[in-house]
Amino acid sequence: LLLCEIHMTAWAYNTPGLEDLQFLNWVIINKNDKPWQNVFMGIVVDPDLGDANDDYIGCDTVNKLNLGYVYNGDNNDNIYGIAPPAMGMDFFKSPIIKSTHDTLGLTSFVFFTNTGSAPPPCESDPNGEPVPAYNMLQGLKKNRTPFWSPPPAGQTQPVKSKFVYPGDPETQTGWTETVGSYPNCDTLTVPNIVSPNPTGDRRFIFNSGRDDFSMPPGDTQNVVLAQFVARGTSNVNSVTKL
C-alpha cells in the first residue's frame, strides 16, 4: 500500500507583468514506513486550448527552460479566433535528490491521446492503470516502447527520445508536430513517420525523476510550477512570445 500525503496551493498576483501567470505548489510527503525507490513525479495536463480538437504540443530543452506548452495547430481556433494564444508551464522548483543536492528539473516530456481519437494503443490514456502510468512518468509509452525522434542532421536513423517536439514551431527548426511522429507500439521496430501529425486533443505529462531518486519515510518534496499564457501575431508566434 502506497501512502502519500499531498498539499496543493494555487495562487496568482494582481501585479503588472504577472497578470497572465499562475503558480501551483505541491508538498509531497512519504507517509509509508518504507522508502520509495526509483521515484518519478509527473504533472498530467489536458490543456484543451480553446477548441480541444486542433491542438499541438511541444517543449523547450534547447534553451534549458524546463518548458512544456500547447498551441493551436493552425492560425484559427473556434474559441479564440485568429492568432490564438499558447499556454505553457515550467518548474520554478523541481524535486531534489537531497543526498547529492541534485535538482532534477524536467527529465521527460511525453504525451498521450484521448482514447476516443483512436490513437495507437500504447499512446492512449493510461485509464488509471499504475504500471502504464509509471512507464509514462519515465518518458516512455504505456508498454515501455520508446518515443523516436527524426534523424539528426547527417544521420539516417531515428533516435530514442524522452522529450517530444523540442523544436521551434515558428522557425520550423528541429522536431515539431508538423515534422511528424512515429506511431510505434513495438520496442524493436520503427515505423514510417506520419508527417505532419493531425491536430487533436493532446494530453501531456511534465515529468521529473530518476532511477536513483528515493524518498525515505517522512521525507518531503516541494514542487512549484508556473503556468502562463501569451498571445502573439499568429499561433506559432504565440509560442515564441511564450
Side-chain angles (χ1 to χ4, degrees), residues 7-222:
H7 306 176
M8 190 189 85
T9 308
W11 74 99
Y13 296 101
N14 185 18
T15 303
L18 298 177
E19 302 95 334
D20 299 321
L21 178 62
Q22 181 188 38
F23 295 94
L24 296 161
N25 180 75
W26 290 272
V27 178
I28 303 157
I29 309 168
N30 179 357
K31 303 295 284 190
N32 282 90
D33 57 3
K34 296 180 180 180
W36 298 344
Q37 306 287 357
N38 311 104
V39 177
F40 290 82
M41 300 180 180
I43 295 97
V44 180
V45 184
D46 183 6
D48 292 348
L49 185 75
D51 183 342
N53 297 305
D54 61 352
D55 293 346
Y56 275 164
I57 60 169
C59 67
D60 189 322
T61 59
V62 176
N63 299 307
K64 299 181 179 179
L65 294 180
N66 284 323
L67 173 68
Y69 56 85
V70 60
Y71 62 106
N72 218 64
D74 58 40
N75 199 37
N76 189 7
D77 180 79
N78 287 339
I79 305 298
Y80 284 110
I82 300 297
M87 186 281 292
M89 54 182 56
D90 67 7
F91 282 119
F92 270 34
K93 185 176 183 180
S94 66
I96 298 173
I97 298 181
K98 296 178 180 178
S99 60
T100 58
H101 305 289
D102 286 348
T103 299
L104 294 179
L106 184 66
T107 56
S108 66
F109 178 85
V110 297
F111 71 90
F112 59 99
T113 301
N114 184 343
T115 303
S117 300
C122 63
E123 295 180 2
S124 64
D125 298 272
N127 294 322
E129 300 174 32
V131 172
Y134 184 65
N135 291 337
M136 290 176 166
L137 292 177
Q138 298 174 79
L140 301 166
K141 299 185 182 183
K142 282 170 54 172
N143 66 346
R144 298 197 65 79
T145 294
F147 287 88
W148 294 90
S149 69
Q155 298 185 30
T156 59
Q157 296 299 314
V159 295
K160 296 177 183 179
S161 178
K162 293 186 176 182
F163 297 91
V164 299
Y165 314 125
D168 187 327
E170 184 165 32
T171 62
Q172 282 301 299
T173 54
W175 182 26
T176 65
E177 293 235 41
T178 54
V179 172
S181 63
Y182 299 87
N184 61 308
C185 288
D186 182 341
T187 59
L188 300 179
T189 60
V190 184
N192 293 327
I193 193 169
V194 174
S195 180
N197 288 336
T199 60
D201 185 5
R202 299 289 191 273
R203 291 92 187 268
F204 63 76
I205 314 180
F206 198 80
N207 295 323
S208 188
R210 215 162 69 185
D211 286 335
D212 62 346
F213 178 23
S214 63
M215 289 181 62
D219 192 24
T220 297
Q221 288 284 334
N222 189 204

